[in-house]
Amino acid sequence: MSGLRVVQVGAGAMGLAWLRTLTASPDVEVVGVADLDVARAEQAVRSVGGGAEVSASLGALLAATRPDAVVNVTVPEAHTEVSVEALFAGVPVLCEKPAAPTLAEALVQAAAAQASGRLLMISQSRRYYAALAAYRERIAALGPPGLLTTGFYRAPRFGGFRAEMPQPLLVDMAIHAFDAARYLLGTEPVSVVCESWNPSWSWYRGDASATATFRFDGGARYVYSGSWCADGLETSWNGEWRAVGAGGSATWDGVDRVTSSLDGAADVPPGAGEEIAGALAEFVAALRTGVEPSGSIARNLGSLAMVEAAVRSAESGAARVELADLLERAYRDALALTVRREVRERLASWGTAAPARAPAGTD
């Protein structure tokens, strides 16, 4: 079977990582790269030894190359515009996380995917670790968990926009853990109480530390504790995990060691495709089989909702936030945005934020 013809939008640092992954994949052929900085796009194409067409305009590349898919690696503020343009050109999209800066914009994207009849998948790249899948199996063997925890402690000195964000940890990083929690528990969050703060020694302008307690359907609690200014004894980039159920406990070190009180410890070797390569593989499989991927926009909305709810709770002095209320508010906000007629009609037809209540995904 021939490879999918792909146009990538965005050629920055993450764009270059995606371009390398796409070029290395036997399942795709990169036929175009769009970036407002054409010289940067040309350099990115040269760096991977490719011959893709380059343009500042996605529309021009869509017309010239007639691709089978678009990979959207622009900044989050541009995700909606780029993805909607591609979807209504009849082209499915694989988009970097987060889907959008706000839940309302993500709902617009979900409506656009429905109205256009094309797949929009969000790359939650940290779902694709073989060790995470093995950990999920260990948790299931314990019976329904009552408690799931993540401890995330690192001290990166990024500089740039992260150093200036009001909520750098919750907005830029915690979505990975929140999405993994939905995957591991297999249910949806109901409410959250979150507190965030900035330690006196922090090199961030915004809150670099946070704790959040989510209540999930069925009564399980998910507790996230993290800091981005925690020098020494750092966790992995996936954090350290513990699940507690009636049958015992299970832990994951965030790398390869999975331990269960039922059957001991095991080191899980990496899978054939992890991180963004895993997201790409699921996207290609979805296009070829028609099976909805775990990262489809409708199924990803719950992870973004967790972030927005945690931020809202933290900024209101740790008040409890009900996710159903948050989703309905985001739905009203989405209806007030300036969008295409087809998108507005699809949003109005919902009458509620119900598409955001899609299951977390068990694929």
Side-chain angles (χ1 to χ4, degrees):
M1 185 178 294
S2 59
L4 294 172
R5 292 166 52 81
V6 171
V7 164
Q8 177 175 306
V9 188
M14 194 63 194
L16 186 56
W18 266 103
L19 194 56
R20 289 170 178 152
T21 298
L22 292 168
T23 302
S25 172
D27 296 319
V28 302
E29 175 190 359
V30 181
V31 296
V33 177
D35 195 285
L36 295 176
D37 186 338
V38 174
R40 180 168 66 179
E42 290 173 341
Q43 175 57 36
V45 170
R46 284 195 299 270
S47 72
V48 297
E53 292 192 39
V54 173
S55 175
S57 167
L58 171 59
L61 281 181
L62 293 176
T65 64
R66 302 181 65 84
D68 300 308
V70 162
V71 175
N72 184 354
V73 202
T74 57
V75 295
E77 291 75 12
H79 282 178
T80 299
E81 179 180 354
V82 169
S83 292
V84 170
E85 179 180 358
L87 291 170
F88 280 98
V91 184
V93 178
L94 175 59
C95 181
E96 255 297 327
K97 70 85 191 168
T102 68
L103 188 55
E105 289 181 63
L107 287 168
V108 166
Q109 293 179 18
Q114 286 189 5
S116 66
R118 295 295 183 270
L119 172 65
L120 171 57
M121 174 178 157
I122 308 304
S123 171
Q124 286 290 166
S125 58
R126 294 179 185 270
R127 265 202 186 204
Y128 299 97
Y129 291 106
L132 179 63
Y135 184 47
R136 189 181 185 204
E137 293 176 358
R138 300 299 195 282
I139 291 175
L142 302 175
L147 176 65
L148 179 69
T149 69
T150 306
F152 176 85
Y153 305 103
R154 296 191 68 89
R157 288 167 167 79
F158 295 113
F161 72 92
R162 291 181 181 87
E164 303 298 321
M165 293 173 67
Q167 293 284 354
L169 178 69
L170 288 174
V171 171
D172 193 61
M173 190 65 204
I175 190 170
H176 289 298
F178 293 174
D179 182 73
R182 292 177 64 226
Y183 169 75
L184 292 170
L185 293 172
T187 58
E188 289 300 309
V190 174
S191 65
V192 63
V193 173
C194 180
E195 184 177 14
S196 67
W197 68 98
N198 206 28
S200 61
W201 63 86
S202 172
W203 49 92
Y204 293 86
R205 183 180 297 275
D207 288 355
S209 298
T211 62
T213 300
F214 290 89
R215 181 167 61 88
F216 271 67
D217 283 333
R221 265 47 172 192
Y222 169 60
V223 180
Y224 174 88
S225 298
S227 178
W228 248 356
C229 53
D231 272 318
L233 302 178
E234 294 186 357
T235 65
S236 79
W237 278 100
N238 293 313
E240 296 175 340
W241 293 73
R242 175 177 289 268
V244 180
S249 299
T251 62
W252 177 41
D253 68 355
V255 185
D256 57 3
R257 176 58 63 94
V258 175
T259 304
S260 169
S261 59
L262 292 181
D263 51 16
D267 289 333
V268 181
E274 297 197 339
E275 299 190 22
I276 62 175
L280 176 62
E282 187 176 20
F283 180 67
V284 171
L287 294 182
R288 288 177 172 171
T289 65
V291 174
E292 183 184 12
S294 63
S296 69
I297 181 63
R299 301 174 85 173
N300 182 254
L301 288 168
S303 299
L304 186 59
M306 289 178 73
V307 174
E308 195 158 309
V311 169
R312 187 178 294 272
S313 175
E315 293 182 348
S316 63
R320 182 178 301 278
V321 172
E322 300 291 333
L323 271 80
D325 295 341
L326 179 80
L327 286 164
E328 292 305 326
R329 187 178 302 111
Y331 176 66
R332 294 193 296 271
D333 290 344
L335 287 170
L337 295 174
T338 301
V339 297
R340 297 175 61 114
R341 174 185 55 80
E342 302 96 324
V343 175
R344 181 172 304 284
E345 290 175 350
R346 184 54 59 111
L347 280 168
S349 74
W350 294 350
T352 176
R357 307 191 200 289
T362 56
D363 304 348

